[in-house]
Amino acid sequence: MATVFSSEPEIQKQRGKWAVRVSGYDSASGRRRVRQLGTFETKKAAIAHSRLFVEGRVGGADETVGDFLTEAWLPSKEGRVEASTLEQYRWAVNGHIIPLIGSVRLRDFSPEVADRWVRDLCAVPEDGGKARLGATSTRTVRKVLSMALEEAVERGRIPRNPVLRTRPPKPVRQTSKLGWTLVEAKTFLAAIADHRLYAAFQLCLVTGMRRGEVLALRWEDVDLDLREVHIVQQLTVERGVPVIKQLKTESSDRVVAIGSTTAEVLARHRELQRSEAEYADEAWEDTGLVFTTALGNWIDPNNFRRLMNDLIVKAGVPRITPKGLRHTAQSVGRVVVGDDKVMQERLGHSDVEITL
């Protein structure tokens, strides 16, 4: 049973975007079939894609993996996913998929080709050099290709997704610590007690807030009388620029209770910030954020990570990442709270399986 597409592509406006479709018929049943070739932000992009289809460069028998990814899949993601997610897709496609298998015809792409591609990504050269990608990054790139080919199946380009018939490389065993013990966390906090951002690290370790959530926290989101912190936004980096954005999911948007000690730490931090603002005078930028630079501006997440590394060396505790602060809060809190569902809500996980 095959579908024959013989008509010219049609361009239609759909929910604020431009969809390119081609009609045909099922050779066995004679029923009309419609294949969507792509959805685009502008009519101009849709027209350009329809021309490529007519010329046989996309959507036809000679369409390559690279053609589909660059002309159909990536454009369809613009405006539909977070900018940081789109950048990751482009990194995978332009850096590690197209250079190795972009010229392979989409219809000829097989599990064997996918296996060889994965091996080439993480293989160590014979001269002893460095592999193109590590196992973790290879798994990420493979996942991106699998997502794209799943859409190729949905659009009728190929009958099935070859990547699903392969296995990803084994993950590298974690040798560094994910988080601290309670004793190590207390040692770290004691060592940095006089630092101006002590309260930020205290809040991370007590609440399990993400780094971006802590750095985007506003004073209007903190109620010291009720001892509550409302987590409603995050600070992310897009193309090297820090940007404050809304949280991705409803479960991430949450209210977290804090104890009297943490409330007192935040109160002292507010007084410290007021002193800094008075000292900076006209140079102070009133962003309304709880944790800022010495001039009131937002803190770059990468600078926060570098600062944390320096403070870890000073404290003499095992090195962990900012995400490790969250892991510490999760592991210690799970023992104290004893309820995984409560911890799921506190950490803002969409599924309790993530917490477990």
Side-chain angles (χ1 to χ4, degrees):
M1 184 183 295
T3 303
V4 179
F5 294 100
S6 56
S7 66
E8 292 287 316
E10 298 175 356
I11 299 173
Q12 297 178 345
K13 194 165 187 179
Q14 177 181 310
R15 297 178 183 176
K17 298 184 183 297
W18 296 90
V20 181
R21 299 187 179 94
V22 62
S23 300
Y25 66 92
D26 189 296
S27 59
S29 65
R31 292 181 179 178
R32 183 174 180 270
R33 301 289 186 187
V34 177
R35 178 202 291 176
Q36 183 151 315
L37 301 178
T39 306
F40 304 89
E41 293 290 320
T42 64
K43 187 175 182 179
K44 182 178 179 181
I47 292 173
H49 186 76
S50 66
R51 287 174 180 168
L52 290 173
F53 177 81
V54 172
E55 294 169 3
R57 292 173 57 189
V58 295
D62 294 326
E63 182 180 24
T64 65
V65 172
D67 291 335
F68 174 72
L69 292 174
T70 58
E71 303 293 345
W73 189 69
L74 279 178
S76 74
K77 296 302 172 187
E78 295 177 4
R80 292 189 171 187
V81 299
E82 294 286 337
S84 57
T85 302
L86 184 59
E87 281 302 302
Q88 184 183 55
Y89 290 167
R90 286 173 174 158
W91 164 78
V93 168
N94 298 323
H96 305 289
I97 299 177
I98 289 180
L100 298 180
I101 55 173
S103 61
V104 177
R105 288 201 316 174
L106 190 59
R107 295 183 182 183
D108 293 338
F109 194 74
S110 64
E112 291 73 27
V113 174
D115 278 331
R116 287 196 297 271
W117 168 66
V118 168
R119 287 198 300 269
D120 289 343
L121 283 176
C122 53
V124 177
E126 293 182 359
D127 60 7
K130 191 177 180 181
R132 187 186 188 98
L133 291 177
T136 300
S137 295
T138 298
R139 290 168 71 92
T140 298
V141 173
R142 177 185 175 276
K143 182 179 179 181
V144 171
L145 179 60
S146 183
M147 290 168 54
L149 294 186
E150 201 61 35
E151 290 201 19
V153 173
E154 293 173 3
R155 298 184 185 197
R157 299 288 222 280
I158 51 178
R160 60 188 63 86
N161 180 357
V163 177
L164 293 181
R165 299 191 172 192
T166 68
R167 291 188 177 184
K170 290 182 63 175
V172 177
R173 186 175 179 181
Q174 183 64 255
T175 55
S176 60
K177 293 194 67 169
L178 287 177
W180 289 322
T181 64
L182 181 57
V183 172
E184 290 167 342
K186 287 183 175 180
T187 300
F188 175 75
L189 289 177
I192 68 165
D194 296 331
H195 195 276
R196 63 180 297 275
L197 290 180
Y198 169 84
F201 293 101
Q202 160 90 358
L203 196 61
C204 285
L205 287 167
V206 168
T207 66
M209 290 173 65
R210 299 174 176 88
R211 171 180 51 174
E213 294 170 343
V214 169
L215 297 182
L217 188 66
R218 302 166 298 186
W219 282 114
E220 65 184 81
D221 303 323
V222 179
D223 192 323
L224 295 180
D225 294 327
L226 294 178
R227 297 177 187 169
E228 291 180 344
V229 175
H230 296 246
I231 305 170
V232 298
Q233 60 182 18
Q234 62 182 332
L235 183 65
T236 63
V237 177
E238 294 181 1
R239 298 186 179 184
V241 179
V243 178
I244 289 183
K245 307 180 71 172
Q246 296 301 308
L247 298 176
K248 288 185 176 181
T249 63
E250 290 184 9
S251 57
S252 296
D253 194 334
R254 62 202 187 279
V255 178
V256 175
I258 57 175
S260 58
T261 300
T262 303
E264 291 172 5
V265 168
L266 287 171
R268 289 197 298 271
H269 177 75
R270 184 165 59 184
E271 291 304 312
L272 171 63
Q273 191 181 74
R274 286 171 177 169
S275 299
E276 290 179 335
E278 185 177 349
Y279 181 79
D281 198 18
E282 294 182 357
W284 179 263
E285 185 168 347
D286 189 8
T287 57
L289 296 175
V290 176
F291 304 110
T292 67
T293 65
L295 295 178
N297 212 327
W298 53 16
I299 298 173
D300 187 306
N302 293 322
N303 290 340
F304 184 84
R305 173 179 51 79
R306 284 188 279 268
L307 169 64
M308 179 177 164
N309 288 339
D310 292 341
L311 294 177
I312 283 175
V313 172
K314 174 185 175 182
V317 293
R319 183 168 180 173
I320 62 173
T321 64
K323 192 173 183 179
L325 299 174
R326 183 168 163 83
H327 280 298
T328 302
Q330 177 177 342
S331 58
V332 174
R334 194 177 177 203
V335 174
V336 175
V337 175
D339 189 321
D340 292 325
K341 188 64 179 175
V342 171
M343 288 306 300
Q344 175 199 348
E345 295 171 356
R346 187 170 180 82
L347 294 165
H349 287 154
S350 58
D351 192 309
V352 73
E353 290 299 321
I354 301 174
T355 310
L356 295 175

